[in-house]
Amino acid sequence: MKLLLAALLVLLPTFHPAQPLNQGHSHNDYWRPHPLYDALQLGFKSVEADVFLIDTTLQVGHERAALRRANTLQSLYLDPLRKIQQTQSFYTQPTELWLFVDFKNDGPATYTRLRQVLARYRDLLSTPRHPRPAGVRVILTGGYPRAEVLADPEALVFLDGQLADLGAAQSARICTVNGDWATYFKWNGLGAMPAAEAAHLRAWNDEAQRTGQKIRFWNTPAATPAQRRAVWAALLHYPAVLVGADELAELKQVIDDQAKL
């Protein structure tokens, strides 16, 4: 098994650190031709992996039918990250990489197994008790057992909460919050964002900046390229917002264009 793992690591893509994109989030990152690497090469700060507990393995995929036993959280993310860290940094300046682990089944059992796995990567991780400026911050999202994780004094992970979790009382452990775009906004990227919706977004951003948290919206309008680019451009005005995308190069171009303004 060790020889097989070594052989697989040798075949990993060549990696060169990029300038970090502090608002860039790779949604469903495992769909990329080169999971993790395609996002890192562009400088994305965070990546997202959906995880199913199958027997004792943490398999990565969008649905059960798409799972492959070889595609585990370790093989696609933790082992390559350790391989990179052994010789260089993830970015051109000290920056945490955020790895969102989205629980898709059996939250308590998945957390138990994840704790066991992550214990073997302590040297890689930035944790609530031991932050590392250039480490990997694992953030649980989806169906994780919230009360159990918050009660775990040795937890190696942070949590992704809801917008109601914005606030200093939660920020040490709940470092990000998320919301369904359609629940809070009617604007679909056409024309100007309504003033009332922009005011809500500004207030959430200001609170998140005060507490050191980040905000992530999902289900953002994307019926056309013009719509998704307009939404991205609007969100990039708010530094506390992580902007998620499937089209990584396209989002990076929007980020670069915004920086020139």
Side-chain angles (χ1 to χ4, degrees):
M1 177 60 72
K2 290 184 178 179
L3 289 176
L4 175 61
L5 176 59
L8 290 173
L9 290 177
V10 168
L11 296 175
L12 292 174
T14 302
F15 174 74
H16 301 286
Q19 182 74 16
L21 303 178
N22 288 321
Q23 290 181 262
H25 173 70
S26 178
H27 175 249
N28 289 341
D29 180 79
Y30 48 88
W31 280 344
R32 315 280 169 250
H34 305 101
L36 175 66
Y37 283 88
D38 289 348
L40 272 183
Q41 294 282 27
L42 294 173
F44 275 63
K45 177 185 178 66
S46 71
V47 297
E48 174 189 351
D50 293 347
V51 167
F52 290 81
L53 177 65
I54 305 296
D55 297 325
T56 61
T57 61
L58 297 171
Q59 296 184 28
V60 176
H62 194 62
E63 53 193 14
R64 279 182 176 271
L67 298 178
R68 298 292 181 270
R69 190 169 182 83
N71 292 342
T72 66
L73 188 66
Q74 298 98 299
S75 68
L76 293 184
Y77 292 96
L78 296 173
D79 288 333
L81 286 168
R82 174 176 275 170
K83 176 74 171 179
I84 292 170
Q85 192 190 59
Q86 288 172 350
T87 59
Q88 58 193 309
S89 300
F90 302 133
Y91 305 101
T92 55
Q93 60 195 64
T95 304
E96 284 186 345
L97 181 142
W98 289 6
L99 174 58
F100 282 79
V101 177
D102 191 336
F103 281 32
K104 292 300 184 182
N105 71 329
D106 201 343
T110 301
Y111 182 59
T112 296
R113 182 55 182 149
L114 180 64
R115 287 179 84 251
Q116 296 168 349
V117 168
L118 292 181
R120 302 199 293 268
Y121 296 86
R122 288 178 183 271
D123 59 320
L124 179 70
L125 303 179
S126 181
T127 70
R129 295 186 65 179
H130 300 287
R132 300 182 65 224
V136 175
R137 177 182 296 214
V138 176
I139 304 172
L140 307 189
T141 189
Y144 64 83
R146 174 171 169 144
E148 181 179 340
V149 181
L150 288 176
D152 182 358
E154 301 299 324
L156 301 175
V157 300
F158 294 83
L159 300 182
D160 182 35
Q162 304 300 311
L163 279 172
D165 293 312
L166 271 180
Q170 305 279 17
S171 61
R173 297 291 299 279
I174 303 177
C175 63
T176 64
V177 299
N178 75 82
D180 181 350
W181 179 270
T183 299
Y184 302 99
F185 300 95
K186 288 187 171 56
W187 185 59
N188 64 359
L190 299 176
M193 180 184 291
E197 294 185 4
H200 285 306
L201 185 54
R202 188 178 308 110
W204 288 322
N205 174 79
D206 292 347
E207 176 67 4
Q209 286 193 289
R210 185 180 71 81
T211 61
Q213 294 167 298
K214 293 287 187 182
I215 304 167
R216 180 173 58 90
F217 292 103
W218 45 276
N219 192 29
T220 54
T224 68
Q227 283 176 278
R228 65 174 175 255
R229 290 173 193 156
V231 173
W232 294 342
L235 292 177
L236 289 169
H237 287 295
Y238 301 93
V241 175
L242 283 176
V243 183
D246 295 321
E247 305 83 1
L248 301 188
E250 188 177 338
L251 175 55
K252 184 181 187 304
Q253 185 60 59
V254 173
I255 292 173
D256 291 345
D257 291 344
Q258 289 278 95
K260 297 173 185 176
L261 298 178

